[in-house]
Amino acid sequence: MMAPLLEEEENYVRLALLLKGVSPRAVRTYFDREFPPTHLPSTLNTNYNTLQDLKLKRVLNQAQWNLLFPRNVYLNFSSAIFAGPCSQGEREQGPANSWGEYPSELSSNIFDVIGVPDFITFDVIDVINYNSFDVIGVPVSTTFDVTLMICLIRNLTSVTQPINGFDSLPLPVETTPGPDLARIKWYRNILAHHDSNKMATGDFNTAWSNISI
């Protein structure tokens, strides 16, 4: 039987659950209100120059950039894809594609393409001597973590910033969405750099009270 957690250990676990389990859902709800998923690609494209500037300043890293602007996926076929039934002679020459058969229809459900949302489907019918095509990646907000969502909110929306900015702990009297997001950011950063799995009760109570404002 496992020994019960010490109070300081329980403090750490409770704060971690709040910051990594509950808070991200609240941030995502606010993010989707500011950036409706159906308009997200066009919004990011409209703000491309601003986002590129953030990347040059290293506010955004390459991994985050790839989520905002997924790279195209290039699919290549070594030979023709035939439409309709094949003749005996064609079959004797070998398969026209890597699946070993001659499909009359090429559908997106054949592929598992990373970076392409589920709602995109396509059919290529009666294609002859078709060697390659591009699939353009589309950003999907469900792949964004809390850090990226807060970064986009603070730089692309009119959210009211905390008095001392997003990189400081807001004052208790600041209770608008901007300061709330800054508090989550602040304490997630503290937790990420915490050097043990324990937290003093006084520090825990202060953090819990601040985040729950």
Side-chain angles (χ1 to χ4, degrees):
M1 183 176 179
M2 293 182 59
L5 293 175
L6 299 175
E7 183 178 1
E8 291 82 1
E9 292 174 329
E10 184 178 343
N11 292 338
Y12 178 87
V13 171
R14 290 179 64 189
L15 188 62
L17 289 174
L18 176 63
L19 291 170
K20 297 182 178 181
V22 178
S23 296
R25 294 200 292 268
V27 174
R28 190 171 302 282
T29 297
Y30 184 80
F31 181 88
D32 286 343
R33 218 164 39 231
E34 292 290 322
F35 301 93
T38 54
H39 298 149
L40 180 61
S42 61
T43 301
L44 295 178
N45 287 332
T46 299
N47 291 279
Y48 182 88
N49 290 338
T50 299
L51 294 169
Q52 189 174 49
D53 186 55
L54 292 175
K55 184 172 182 287
L56 292 174
K57 293 177 180 177
R58 298 187 177 181
V59 175
L60 291 171
N61 59 39
Q62 186 61 50
Q64 292 170 323
W65 184 263
N66 291 343
L67 293 175
L68 297 175
F69 301 100
R71 299 172 181 174
N72 291 359
V73 179
Y74 187 74
L75 303 177
N76 185 55
F77 298 86
S78 58
S79 56
I81 297 174
F82 290 85
C86 302
S87 68
Q88 181 64 31
E90 289 169 339
R91 292 191 182 278
E92 290 174 353
Q93 292 174 6
N97 56 54
S98 59
W99 298 290
E101 57 186 11
Y102 297 86
S104 60
E105 181 177 289
L106 177 63
S107 176
S108 64
N109 58 18
I110 295 174
F111 307 107
D112 181 12
V113 182
I114 298 175
V116 180
D118 293 338
F119 61 80
I120 291 183
T121 58
F122 55 89
D123 290 322
V124 181
I125 304 174
D126 297 332
V127 180
I128 300 178
N129 294 325
Y130 194 78
N131 294 320
S132 62
F133 58 89
D134 289 327
V135 178
I136 301 176
V138 177
V140 181
S141 63
T142 53
T143 64
F144 299 173
D145 63 10
V146 170
T147 300
L148 181 53
M149 288 190 289
I150 291 179
C151 178
L152 295 177
I153 291 170
R154 66 183 286 189
N155 287 285
L156 300 185
T157 75
S158 58
V159 64
T160 301
Q161 296 209 14
I163 294 173
N164 295 317
F166 269 97
D167 298 321
S168 299
L169 181 63
L171 302 173
V173 295
E174 299 181 86
T175 57
T176 56
D180 288 342
L181 293 171
R183 287 187 187 90
I184 292 172
K185 175 179 177 293
W186 175 268
Y187 281 108
R188 281 174 62 91
N189 189 54
I190 286 181
L191 200 67
H193 294 90
H194 201 63
D195 58 2
S196 74
N197 61 348
K198 298 179 181 179
M199 178 169 286
T201 299
D203 293 337
F204 167 77
N205 288 337
T206 299
W208 190 275
S209 176
N210 283 337
I211 298 170
S212 304
I213 289 177

